[in-house]
Amino acid sequence: MTAYPHLLSPLDLGFTTLKNRVLMGSMHTGLEETRDWNRVAEFYAERARGGVGLMVTGGMAPNREGGVFPGAAGLFTPEDIANHRIVTDRVHQADGKIAMQILHAGRYAYGPECVSASAIKSPISPFPPKELDEAGIQKQLDDIATAAARAREAGYDGVEVMGSEGYFINQFLVTHTNKRTDAWGGSYENRMRVAIEAVRRARQMAGDDFIIIYRLSMIDLVPNGSTFEEVVQLAREVEKAGATIINTGIGWHEARIPTIATSVPRRAFAWVTKKLMGHVGIPVITSNRINTPEVAEQVLAEGCADMVSLARPMLADAHFVAKAQAGKAPEIAPCIACNQACLDHTFSGKISSCLVNPRACFETELQLHPAQTPKNIAVVGAGPAGLSTAIAAAQRGHKVTVFDKDAHVGGQLNLARQVPGKEEFHGLVAWFETMLTSTGVTLRLGQAVGAEDMAGFDEVVVATGVQPRDPQIPGQAHAKVISYADLLAGRATAGQKVAVIGAGGIGFDVAETLVHEGHSPSEDLPAWLREWGVSDPGTHRGGLAPEGPQPAPAARQVWLLQRKAQALGKGLGKTTGWIHRSALKMKGVTMMGGVNYEKIDDEGLHISFGPSGENPTILPVDTVVLCAGQISERGLADQLQAKGVACHVIGGADLAAELDAKRAIDQGTRLAATL
Ligand code: NAP
Ligand code: SF4
């Protein structure tokens, strides 16, 4: 008897059956653009082997003008079709099913050739689109239909027509971007025509026994977005036009409301999909922040949808479904929704991967083969770098002992998980604990070790992490000065007026912790929706609350400071930095750059600005929190080197600058692959 009866039950689509209710949602990984088709095939085949019911590829352009960026992959030539065959064949050999997403970016296409319903530039692109004429619209629709036919020729089991997230089809649907006065604009019936025609022509070209998913924007989260009556009307028309399944899209890319970040509550938008249930006769998929089999099962059991879409969780663990099926859910590597190695990579032109699973998209390169000669390995430091090394080395058959002076594993993750909005880090630490047990790693916690304790080990890995940098501010010994570690660990408390010195990732985390009080909105959906101004699209167009964001009052008055004379938060994640900045602005945090720290005394923090120390000011704070970055903790590494004992130094102990869990886990796993 499975714990996930809904999730693991098959879905009969008439002409074909999906073996369970899990869809791997579309993600742009950048793999197709490498044209290393073996690598692309392995990425998808690994997930097919992991048991997922149906996968959707990253968006494929139907034509050059619709590509997300110049050179975006698509099925343009017979050679492209043959290359995609390599992928679909490998997936089918692994007993999987795969659909190709057809993504026409419209005005989001990053290039001067972009086209749309009207010539209105998107706020997130520098390129104004050309308004399409009648022939131009017909061409786009024919290209979408041709892409569907070519997908079938390439062996795909279906296509997903991308109609949400503010892309081309979505741009026709709403008056926010469609100001046309011809038969493709004006009334909703006219604005829907592109969506309906795209599905109808795709069906006509690809045949009946072919999956067509239509991704429908259920809550646009932009001004003048769709009403829910319009969503239902469109869903019914799309069904009539030949769609097999309706998938859920949440929010346009230009929306200023987070929809998938860590701080978004789990299953935050399943209620929106649920509103559509019963209005159409075809299966409906829900999406966004569903990252465990428990949550997925609950969503299905509550009737929110017929199927769930998990995208990033399939990067974190290709075997999500197989582990759920085998009763090994705690071994599923959790997606913590950080975006650090997936979306942030995509938007920096890098291949996607995953913070918790560096093998994602690197399946052919980073392999953990059984060790030829099992070794006795010591890992000192139970933070993300050390734990990743230990688990991967043990999986390879080595005998591994982990030492840490702390009584718990997790290192800096134990601080991160105290931050409101970062509750997912609890799951990551729990997963490390599970994996340490299941791989048979020996733990020696609560004891500091020295070079002498390393005798008898074949390999020594030093992952001793970081220690806070001393900013050497006059008066920092004052009782009102505390470290971020003491604050987050609950060893120190802050007063009502607080200055935070340093505005890196930790400074921002500390500021968010300080302004927050009580229950985290990330674990309280109604509070979170209120905080960001999300309303029911059945009541307000696009799901935007007319009163806007209504954050709870800040618990403290906070100043967040840095010495660099630039906007704060520039070094934060590309796709999440804006969320942290907006969250702090909403709470009234004062952010200051170009600051000199003069001294700290009973009056507060004395600062001035610029190279010549202008505008001296006293911030009347009763607490100063130091978040001035890190330096490597190299005590053990230095000891070992002095004694001539070879060791591997990784993570923060190796390089503290710009250290994050992504680099630590990647470095640890890669080292383990070579031991
Ligand atoms: P960080 O990002 O390097 O930031 C250090 C901050 O301290 C900067 O604002 C820096 O700005 C300031 N600083 C540096 N030297 C100073 C000095 N001598 N005196 C006063 N201020 C000084 O380090 P972090 O905030 O400690 O974060 C560590 C790592 O954790 C980061 O690499 C980050 O990626 C990661 N992290 C990430 C997240 C995330 O949300 N993705 C969250 C937490 C942590 P000025 O030099 O301009 O003053
Ligand atoms: Fe999830 Fe972060 Fe991995 Fe992306 S990088 S898949 S958000 S854990």
Side-chain angles (χ1 to χ4, degrees):
M1 174 64 187
T2 170
Y4 315 108
H6 295 85
L7 190 68
L8 299 178
S9 69
L11 181 63
D12 185 359
L13 298 176
F15 57 91
T16 189
T17 298
L18 306 181
K19 55 187 170 189
N20 55 56
R21 305 299 178 106
V22 183
L23 177 93
M24 175 170 116
S26 175
M27 288 174 284
H28 183 81
T29 59
L31 281 177
E32 283 86 355
E33 281 79 15
T34 66
R35 305 194 69 77
D36 179 347
W37 295 100
N38 179 49
R39 182 175 179 184
V40 185
E42 258 322 286
F43 170 74
Y44 288 111
E46 180 68 10
R47 277 132 191 101
R49 287 191 283 272
V52 62
L54 176 64
M55 294 180 281
V56 182
T57 66
M60 295 293 132
N63 52 29
R64 301 289 178 199
E65 61 270 31
V68 178
F69 52 87
L75 296 185
F76 304 124
T77 65
E79 193 197 344
D80 289 334
I81 294 173
N83 287 332
H84 281 252
R85 259 266 171 222
I86 300 171
V87 178
T88 57
D89 282 349
R90 193 85 58 88
V91 167
H92 293 147
Q93 279 156 20
D95 194 28
K97 283 191 166 50
I98 184 164
M100 184 188 90
Q101 188 186 68
I102 303 172
L103 170 59
H104 190 310
R107 69 177 193 158
Y108 284 167
Y110 201 81
E113 299 306 315
C114 64
V115 295
S116 187
S118 300
I120 306 169
K121 196 182 82 61
S122 143
I124 57 170
S125 167
F127 300 104
K130 291 191 187 64
E131 178 174 317
L132 286 164
D133 60 14
E134 176 67 28
I137 292 175
Q138 295 295 342
K139 176 184 181 297
Q140 307 311 310
L141 290 169
D142 287 343
D143 288 347
I144 290 171
T146 303
R150 289 182 180 162
R152 181 173 189 136
E153 206 183 326
Y156 284 104
D157 301 281
V159 289
E160 176 172 83
V161 176
M162 182 45 155
S164 65
E165 260 70 5
Y167 287 115
F168 179 71
I169 293 176
N170 223 174
Q171 291 158 25
F172 272 81
L173 282 167
V174 298
T175 56
H176 182 64
T177 38
N178 183 346
K179 309 286 183 198
R180 302 179 73 94
T181 53
D182 62 3
W184 303 95
S187 69
Y188 190 59
E189 281 67 25
N190 283 354
R191 285 182 274 128
M192 271 194 309
R193 282 182 62 215
V194 159
I196 297 165
E197 273 300 292
V199 174
R200 193 185 65 75
R201 293 186 198 188
R203 173 60 74 208
Q204 202 173 31
M205 292 281 281
D208 287 341
D209 53 345
F210 191 65
I211 300 168
I212 296 184
I213 307 167
Y214 180 79
R215 181 102 172 257
L216 195 155
S217 182
M218 305 232 178
I219 179 165
D220 293 324
L221 301 176
V222 292
N224 301 317
S226 296
T227 64
F228 208 73
E229 292 75 56
E230 289 169 346
V231 167
V232 172
Q233 196 181 342
L234 175 62
R236 288 184 172 148
E237 292 299 329
V238 156
E239 178 180 9
K240 274 194 238 157
T244 324
I245 300 175
I246 289 178
N247 193 4
T248 296
I250 302 292
W252 288 35
H253 285 316
E254 67 201 57
R256 292 292 87 185
I257 293 167
T259 55
I260 58 169
T262 311
S263 55
V264 176
R266 286 178 175 180
R267 54 167 294 187
F269 294 96
W271 61 276
V272 183
T273 314
K274 189 176 184 185
K275 288 169 70 74
L276 187 63
M277 293 293 279
H279 290 289
V280 287
I282 52 177
V284 175
I285 304 176
T286 193
S287 166
N288 288 47
R289 291 291 284 114
I290 298 170
N291 66 342
T292 68
E294 287 73 23
V295 175
E297 175 66 20
Q298 194 186 25
V299 160
L300 294 177
E302 286 174 13
C304 298
D306 301 292
M307 212 174 162
V308 288
S309 169
L310 282 66
R312 297 170 299 169
M314 290 288 163
L315 291 179
D317 200 325
H319 291 252
F320 183 101
V321 176
K323 288 180 184 174
Q325 246 154 357
K328 292 184 172 178
E331 290 190 16
I332 296 172
C335 166
I336 55 171
C338 64
N339 287 356
Q340 282 174 249
C342 50
L343 278 167
D344 285 350
H345 278 206
T346 303
F347 285 95
S348 326
K350 290 196 255 176
I351 302 283
S352 288
S353 188
C354 174
L355 177 140
V356 301
N357 174 24
R359 291 199 64 238
C361 298
F362 290 80
E363 284 79 8
T364 52
E365 177 198 310
L366 177 53
Q367 295 182 338
L368 298 172
H369 296 300
Q372 300 221 318
T373 321
K375 294 179 184 170
N376 194 9
I377 299 175
V379 177
V380 185
L387 296 180
S388 316
T389 314
I391 291 164
Q395 282 171 328
R396 294 191 55 221
H398 294 303
K399 183 170 179 294
V400 184
T401 307
V402 171
F403 300 88
D404 199 292
K405 60 181 180 339
D406 206 344
H408 305 281
V409 303
Q412 298 264 321
L413 297 176
N414 288 321
L415 298 179
R417 64 176 169 161
Q418 305 306 327
V419 177
K422 288 201 160 176
E423 292 78 11
E424 287 294 349
F425 283 76
H426 289 296
L428 181 54
V429 176
W431 175 75
F432 275 127
E433 286 168 342
T434 301
M435 295 309 291
L436 289 166
T437 306
S438 74
T439 56
V441 171
T442 304
L443 290 178
R444 295 270 179 270
L445 300 177
Q447 59 189 78
V449 290
E452 64 286 358
D453 300 299
M454 298 296 109
F457 287 100
D458 302 318
E459 304 271 4
V460 176
V461 179
V462 178
T464 43
V466 292
Q467 49 173 294
R469 175 186 285 128
D470 177 0
Q472 303 189 332
I473 300 167
Q476 68 180 30
H478 195 283
K480 65 173 63 173
V481 181
I482 60 176
S483 75
Y484 74 85
D486 284 344
L487 178 81
L488 293 177
R491 294 186 294 262
T493 50
Q496 278 306 303
K497 294 183 176 191
V498 187
V500 178
I501 289 187
I506 291 178
F508 267 80
D509 277 357
V510 162
E512 287 196 39
T513 307
L514 289 167
V515 291
H516 178 78
E517 194 162 41
H519 207 54
S520 168
S522 301
E523 296 190 309
D524 178 350
L525 183 58
W528 184 86
L529 294 172
R530 231 179 4 259
E531 179 163 296
W532 287 95
V534 180
S535 137
D536 188 331
T539 324
H540 299 105
R541 269 194 182 278
L544 290 186
E547 63 275 18
Q550 300 288 308
R556 294 180 178 80
Q557 189 177 0
V558 174
W559 288 263
L560 179 58
L561 312 168
Q562 72 178 19
R563 298 171 306 170
K564 284 186 284 296
Q566 63 179 40
L568 273 67
K570 284 218 178 270
L572 299 176
K574 234 179 155 54
T575 62
T576 51
W578 69 271
I579 302 171
H580 297 296
R581 286 189 293 270
S582 305
L584 293 190
K585 265 186 212 147
M586 287 200 295
K587 295 278 193 180
V589 171
T590 307
M591 301 189 213
M592 292 175 166
V595 173
N596 310 310
Y597 307 113
E598 303 293 352
K599 65 174 176 180
I600 300 163
D601 61 16
D602 289 345
E603 283 185 292
L605 173 63
H606 298 242
I607 57 172
S608 64
F609 295 86
S612 45
E614 291 143 33
N615 201 9
T617 307
I618 304 171
L619 302 179
V621 294
D622 32 35
T623 307
V624 176
V625 188
L626 300 180
C627 309
Q630 331 284 333
I631 57 169
S632 296
E633 173 51 71
R634 292 190 59 96
L636 179 63
D638 291 344
Q639 263 186 46
L640 288 165
Q641 266 148 18
K643 291 188 173 224
V645 179
C647 63
H648 308 271
V649 184
I650 60 167
D654 172 35
L655 181 64
E658 291 176 18
L659 171 73
D660 58 16
K662 180 182 77 166
R663 172 152 65 81
I665 293 174
D666 184 74
Q667 199 181 9
T669 310
R670 283 176 191 277
L671 171 65
T674 65
L675 291 174

